[in-house]
Amino acid sequence: MSDDISSIIDTLWTVLPRGGGRTIGLHEPEFGATERAYLLDCIDSTFVSSVGKYVDRFEQMLCDFTGAKRAVAVMNGTAALHIALQVAGVKTGDEVLVPDLTFIASANAVSYCGATPHFVDSNASTLGLDPEKVDRWLGETASVVDGVCRNKKTGARIAAVVPMHTFGHPVDLDALIDVAARWKLPIVEDAAESLGSYYKGKHTGRLGVMGVLSFNGNKTITTGGGGAVITDDVKLADRLKHLTTTAKVKHAWDFIHDEVGYNYRMPNLNAALGCAQMEKLPEFLAEKRALAAKYRAVFAGHPVAAFVDEPANSHSNFWLNVLLLRADKADLLPALLERTNAAGIGTRPVWTLMHKLPMYAHCPRMDVSTSEDLAHRLINVPSSAHLGRAHAA
Ligand SMILES: Cc1ncc(COP(=O)(O)O)c(C=O)c1O
């Protein structure tokens, strides 16, 4: 056991830079002169809050990069998910299909709508929602009547499906689009982790009706805290903008709000940081790809741990690189986490599965044995862009 762990750590050290005495973080943000200049510009202009030129500029940069017609920037990815689900029509009493293996925000956003997450299993290659299993499960538990998908057991409407592109690896979207169309489910993509990931050449978040991005400090680019909804549907985008800006009717001085809206606006300060980061995104992505190539090479043929590569038909941003322990070596995980972190290599396990959390234990779910298996064997390893830079390691 100890030899197995030493062999993984030794292999990681062939990729990672030694020395300095500090832990190599899992994903570290990187800022430079442009970030400073744009932030200072905000401060000097006094436009630090939700009005200012950087919000519009950041949204335009997101559109230019992803190819989406519209982007609506908000204060974080969780708020983006909430509002996207609401605009997709999710209502109190509905159920929404969500992967069991995901970050808590995917499920919480469903709860914020008064709906119930209905957990589905993952695919071992993509690590994301498995369309074939979902199709089979719906065949057993749901029916479509008058264009509405209903859970036959609970009687609830199943109102949407939320695929999540795990660690940047895209879900099998062609298959999911087909399943979702047959079961009358709008797709809202949780693309929080997949800025710069493509499925068959199209940016993730653009294959569903809406896609959600996160710019939290640990993401490929960061705005400090931030998120966005991207969509090709201009009407939906207008609705998203209205609802996330307190539903205020445009007027020079009157405060008229025509429905219950949200103050989910991204401040200009955060957007300024985002604009500077967007300028670096292509460079970050190239470096992250180079880092992934190093991990792929050194773990090829490793007896205990395999590098989880990008799935077929996709181009991943490799947000977080991930290793999968051999099935009969799953019990190494706790000690491997202990020892890598003690050695100064920032690693972490995947999230506790949603159905194991107290507030979601009662929710409907299918057999989630692949998610259970993956959760016992996956480990994230340091993935910052600078680790892939030519002079690193
Ligand atoms: C899969 C997933 N969904 C949603 C979010 C929520 O984003 P935020 O932290 O910006 O609220 C995150 C990241 O934090 C995430 O990883």
Side-chain angles (χ1 to χ4, degrees), residues 76-79 81 102-103 105-106 164 190 192-193 214-216 218-219 226 319 351:
N76 58 50
T78 309
L81 264 173
T102 188
F103 177 61
S106 321
M164 195 279 278
D190 183 344
E193 304 181 353
S214 164
F215 313 110
N216 187 33
N218 62 348
K219 295 297 189 294
W319 170 52
W351 314 276

Side-chain angles (χ1 to χ4, degrees), residues 115-152:
T116 301
H118 180 144
F119 299 117
V120 296
D121 203 13
S122 288
N123 176 281
S125 319
T126 67
L127 310 181
L129 174 155
D130 188 321
E132 226 177 86
K133 285 186 194 163
V134 169
D135 194 27
R136 238 180 292 133
W137 174 239
L138 289 173
E140 290 166 27
T141 53
S143 61
V144 174
V145 180
D146 297 333
V148 174
C149 182
R150 240 173 236 292
N151 184 332
K152 289 189 280 190

Side-chain angles (χ1 to χ4, degrees), residues 68-368:
K69 274 206 184 120
R70 293 278 297 276
V72 176
V74 294
M75 64 191 195
N76 58 50
T78 309
L81 264 173
H82 171 211
I83 206 67
L85 287 171
Q86 184 169 320
V87 166
V90 175
K91 295 197 166 53
T92 302
D94 288 340
E95 290 176 13
V96 174
L97 303 179
V98 173
D100 197 31
L101 180 69
T102 188
F103 177 61
I104 191 71
S106 321
N108 279 349
V110 173
S111 301
Y112 301 161
C113 295
T116 301
H118 180 144
F119 299 117
V120 296
D121 203 13
S122 288
N123 176 281
S125 319
T126 67
L127 310 181
L129 174 155
D130 188 321
E132 226 177 86
K133 285 186 194 163
V134 169
D135 194 27
R136 238 180 292 133
W137 174 239
L138 289 173
E140 290 166 27
T141 53
S143 61
V144 174
V145 180
D146 297 333
V148 174
C149 182
R150 240 173 236 292
N151 184 332
K152 289 189 280 190
K153 282 187 196 147
T154 62
R157 178 175 78 126
I158 303 179
V161 57
V162 180
M164 195 279 278
H165 306 300
T166 315
F167 308 131
H169 292 343
V171 161
D172 180 358
L173 284 160
D174 271 357
L176 180 63
I177 288 166
D178 175 56
V179 170
R182 280 189 287 107
W183 289 97
K184 311 292 178 207
L185 299 172
I187 299 173
V188 175
E189 292 177 69
D190 183 344
E193 304 181 353
S194 63
L195 179 65
S197 296
Y198 297 81
Y199 179 80
K200 291 193 173 171
K202 198 165 181 180
H203 197 282
T204 50
R206 291 194 57 220
L207 290 104
V209 59
M210 282 169 275
V212 164
L213 304 172
S214 164
F215 313 110
N216 187 33
N218 62 348
K219 295 297 189 294
T220 301
I221 65 151
T222 185
T223 57
V229 185
I230 56 172
T231 182
D232 287 340
D233 187 321
V234 175
K235 273 196 184 145
L236 285 185
D238 286 343
R239 180 108 194 91
L240 289 162
K241 195 68 176 175
H242 187 61
L243 279 174
T244 55
T245 55
T246 69
K248 186 175 184 298
V249 179
K250 266 206 166 81
H251 191 280
W253 52 81
D254 277 343
F255 288 96
I256 299 163
H257 306 263
D258 60 3
E259 60 186 308
V260 177
Y262 301 88
N263 182 5
Y264 279 0
R265 296 171 292 192
M266 174 182 279
N268 201 40
L269 265 178
N270 300 75
L273 199 55
C275 289
Q277 291 267 287
M278 280 302 286
E279 291 176 19
K280 294 182 176 146
L281 179 56
E283 190 190 323
F284 285 163
L285 289 169
E287 289 165 349
K288 287 171 71 59
R289 246 188 129 65
L291 177 63
K294 288 189 197 177
Y295 280 129
R296 180 188 298 120
V298 299
F299 279 98
H302 191 279
V304 181
F307 174 70
V308 179
D309 217 329
E310 60 196 345
N313 299 317
S314 68
H315 181 94
S316 177
N317 66 359
F318 291 101
W319 170 52
L320 289 187
N321 289 288
V322 56
L323 301 177
L324 179 69
L325 294 175
R326 217 173 69 193
D328 60 334
K329 298 284 184 182
D331 57 353
L332 291 182
L333 189 64
L336 179 59
L337 286 161
E338 260 325 309
R339 283 191 44 198
T340 42
N341 283 290
I345 300 174
T347 59
R348 67 165 205 202
V350 297
W351 314 276
T352 299
L353 296 176
M354 294 301 106
H355 81 269
K356 296 199 165 169
L357 301 174
M359 62 289 194
Y360 292 131
H362 67 284
C363 291
R365 67 172 190 268
M366 63 187 283
D367 168 71
V368 288

